[in-house]
Amino acid sequence: MSTKSKTRKTTSSGSESKLQTFSASTQNLLMNVTFLNKQGRVTVECREGETLLQAGLRQGVPLPYACGAGVCSTCVARAKPGTVNNNWLQAPGAQNLNTVKGECLLCQCVPVADCEILVPGKAALTGDSGESPQHQSGQLGNLVEVAPGVATFELELDQPISFLAGQYLLLRLPAMEGYRPYSMTSFSIHSQKPTFVIKCVPVGSFSEVLFNGSFKTVRVDVFGPMGKAIFDPTEGRDLACMVGGSGIAGIMSVLRQARDIGYFSDHNVTMVFGVRNPEDFFFLNELKEIQESAPANIDIHLAVSELSDSNKMPVALGGLPVWSGFVHEVAERVMGQDLLGRLGFLGGPPAMLTGALRLLLGAGVPVDDIRYDKFG
Ligand SMILES: Cc1cc2nc3c(=O)[nH]c(=O)nc-3n(C[C@H](O)[C@H](O)[C@H](O)COP(=O)(O)OP(=O)(O)OC[C@H]3O[C@@H](n4cnc5c(N)ncnc54)[C@H](O)[C@@H]3O)c2cc1C
Ligand code: FES
């Protein structure tokens, strides 16, 4: 990264809307991208096909983002007409862009020439983000279906990574357009084989390959680690976790790190994990083991929001108490009076997040004390 423009080795392929994707394994042409706002400007090299967001983050520029996948709109910026290509015009996060003013998503646009990008906000772009996600590749395999439409998998990376509990990687099958974010469920300071849990999205491009019945293993492009919904043990706070379905992923990593460093000898966690039907639960053995590591300080509850006629609501599953209701409803019952002062960790579909956020904010928990990723 530099604060001056670098020698130009670049290409200009015009402004037609042609999909460009980055490959870590090929020699890439370079373009200079200058990010600027009222606080200053910084120029970085962007490899051919690499998104503006990836180029900036890779070189430590503190750009705004939350999903890296076109979902959240956090990365809206402005480019001069014709200087960037938008890889995914239909991105949910791009629906309210003012394209006349050059608004674009940093995570979905690639430069077609050296360019200047106006980044809103007060972040000092010349400062260091403290993050350094990188491109690499890995072998995705060991897929195990753990509940209907939910599977765990391992990613054997070509190079080890260091990540924080709660972070995610962007993954892409070589022939696929755009990356998909998946949160690590494992935790270790240096990891070459992180694990994940994936929910099958009907007709989802990534999901379809993994859930087609004959899947064994596949090479994937990887970018990361990313994400700011992280656990920092030095904060020394009690935790309130509310998760639904595969939204438990990043919080498993948080719980595993906290258990491994003895965090729960001094701090407590109350957690509600919800699914629709009792047969949809997974990770129950792992949760029970974590709970037994510090039973006085770890309180885990299960929530079931629907019950088919043939099913009876169990009192407990895997030794953990089961309640009827949505995650936020059960959370209100089990910790409604005890939320203030806790750090909130949330994960799950949008409706679950909305309910959980309302509960925490209503209880007076400051917004800065609530960590979550928007899954969709
Ligand atoms: C921070 C974060 C962490 C997540 N962690 C997990 C997790 O641990 N486990 C889990 O099951 N789910 C997780 N999700 C949700 C998961 O990423 C989506 O369910 C996944 O993208 C579905 O991919 P798909 O290809 O199967 O479905 P699709 O319906 O094909 O794609 C869904 C998403 O892919 C992207 N996309 C689609 N088409 C394009 C395109 N042409 N160009 C670029 N992008 C495109 C978009 O982000 C879209 O919303 C997470 C989401 C976020 C934001
Ligand atoms: S980071 Fe670009 S839309 Fe979420």
Side-chain angles (χ1 to χ4, degrees), residues 209-373:
V209 173
L210 269 60
F211 284 86
N212 82 355
S214 59
F215 175 80
K216 291 272 181 287
T217 135
V218 67
R219 294 287 299 168
V220 287
D221 292 329
V222 179
F223 184 77
M226 297 178 70
K228 296 165 189 162
I230 52 165
F231 173 57
D232 173 2
T234 63
E235 287 180 281
R237 305 275 297 277
D238 292 339
L239 312 180
C241 302
M242 299 176 213
V243 295
S246 63
I248 195 172
I251 282 85
M252 285 306 289
S253 182
V254 170
L255 292 178
R256 284 178 164 141
Q257 182 188 15
R259 184 236 359 236
D260 292 351
I261 61 174
Y263 189 81
F264 295 126
S265 50
D266 297 321
H267 307 287
N268 70 58
V269 58
T270 303
M271 168 162 168
V272 178
F273 172 30
V275 295
R276 290 199 173 153
N277 288 292
E279 58 271 24
D280 297 331
F281 280 115
F282 51 93
F283 285 160
L284 294 187
N285 290 342
E286 290 87 341
L287 289 172
K288 185 64 185 160
E289 261 176 42
I290 289 169
Q291 197 252 326
E292 283 172 347
S293 69
N297 280 338
I298 304 179
D299 192 18
I300 301 177
H301 300 260
L302 305 177
V304 172
S305 61
E306 286 172 18
L307 205 56
S308 57
D309 292 346
S310 55
N311 264 336
K312 268 186 136 185
M313 181 64 83
V315 176
L317 279 171
L320 300 169
V322 182
W323 302 72
S324 170
F326 291 111
V327 169
H328 65 281
E329 294 169 345
V330 174
E332 186 163 21
R333 266 180 262 164
V334 301
M335 56 178 147
Q337 308 304 313
D338 186 26
L339 283 167
L340 204 56
R342 288 176 183 265
L343 213 47
F345 279 93
L346 314 179
M352 194 228 90
L353 284 181
T354 306
L357 278 171
R358 199 175 294 139
L359 176 65
L360 287 166
L361 294 171
V365 177
V367 75
D368 286 348
D369 284 355
I370 307 175
R371 318 253 155 104
Y372 63 99
D373 292 317

Side-chain angles (χ1 to χ4, degrees), residues 178-194:
Y179 288 77
R180 307 295 191 260
Y182 289 101
S183 312
M184 280 67 85
T185 58
S186 50
F187 181 79
S188 69
I189 297 286
H190 301 290
S191 176
Q192 196 149 5
K193 237 185 204 184

